[in-house]
Amino acid sequence: MEDLNEQPVLRVRPEMGERFLPNDFYDVLAHRYFPVLSLTYIASIVGVAIKVARPEAGFFHYFFEDPYAYRMGYWVAAWVSIPAILWILIRSTFHLGDVADLWYKVTAVLMVSTLLISLLLFPMGEFGFAVRLFMVATIPILVVQYFFFVRGGLPPTMAWPLTVAGVTFLTYGLIL
């Protein structure tokens, strides 16, 4: 029987130049992910407020006083974040970075097909209306998000104001 005190100690140290996160990880977050997510959130709020506006309570009521548009915006932002987060994580791995674009496309197609199937399965009541609006809003967002991820990020003069506007609307929605 071996003595456990005599076991060698294994020390893992990264080689020179290796890092846990890639060098451009924060650049991807700041100039690609957060601005597009903020733009998605703001566009979702405006779109939902326009769609649910009625003669007795118009756009301004749903945009400034009713939390429904902000809550739907959370769901849309969370839904379109799934392929984006997968793209960021897969791209940051050293041996899978080349297939990140393929993973984004596959994930986005699976999500859209899931929404289409759920549209067929759920009746067109109140929940069906929300699903239909949700589906229509997310398809172009996935395409725009992919375009910004593959082509490169926004310049800081556009990225930071969009991010700040998204955080401002998020904070206002949480207050409502």
Side-chain angles (χ1 to χ4, degrees), residues 131-161:
V131 169
R132 183 173 50 205
L133 183 66
F134 190 66
M135 182 183 66
V136 170
T138 57
I139 293 171
I141 292 169
L142 291 171
V143 173
V144 168
Q145 191 172 6
Y146 177 76
F147 177 76
F148 278 109
F149 278 174
V150 172
R151 294 286 185 166
L154 293 169
T157 56
M158 291 176 62
W160 289 109

Side-chain angles (χ1 to χ4, degrees), residues 22-25 27-29 32 84-101 103 149-150:
N23 291 335
D24 64 342
F25 180 75
D27 182 55
V28 167
L29 285 180
R32 294 181 188 191
I85 291 171
L86 275 175
W87 185 86
I88 291 169
L89 293 175
I90 291 173
R91 185 177 173 272
S92 67
T93 60
F94 298 109
H95 60 285
L96 291 177
D98 298 334
V99 296
D101 294 340
W103 272 90
F149 278 174
V150 172

Side-chain angles (χ1 to χ4, degrees), residues 79 105-122 131 135 138-139 142:
W79 181 256
K105 291 174 188 173
V106 168
T107 307
V109 166
L110 286 173
M111 290 171 58
V112 168
S113 62
T114 301
L115 284 173
L116 288 173
I117 291 170
S118 68
L119 181 65
L120 294 174
L121 294 177
F122 294 124
V131 169
M135 182 183 66
T138 57
I139 293 171
L142 291 171

Side-chain angles (χ1 to χ4, degrees), residues 31-77:
H31 297 137
R32 294 181 188 191
Y33 178 65
F34 289 137
V36 174
L37 186 66
S38 296
L39 184 62
T40 300
Y41 182 63
I42 294 168
S44 298
I45 293 170
V46 171
V48 170
I50 289 171
K51 188 68 176 170
V52 298
R54 292 179 174 75
E56 62 272 2
F59 167 77
F60 291 108
H61 169 75
Y62 286 101
F63 190 72
F64 290 112
E65 297 176 15
D66 192 12
Y68 176 74
Y70 291 91
R71 290 182 185 148
M72 281 301 292
Y74 299 147
W75 287 108
V76 171

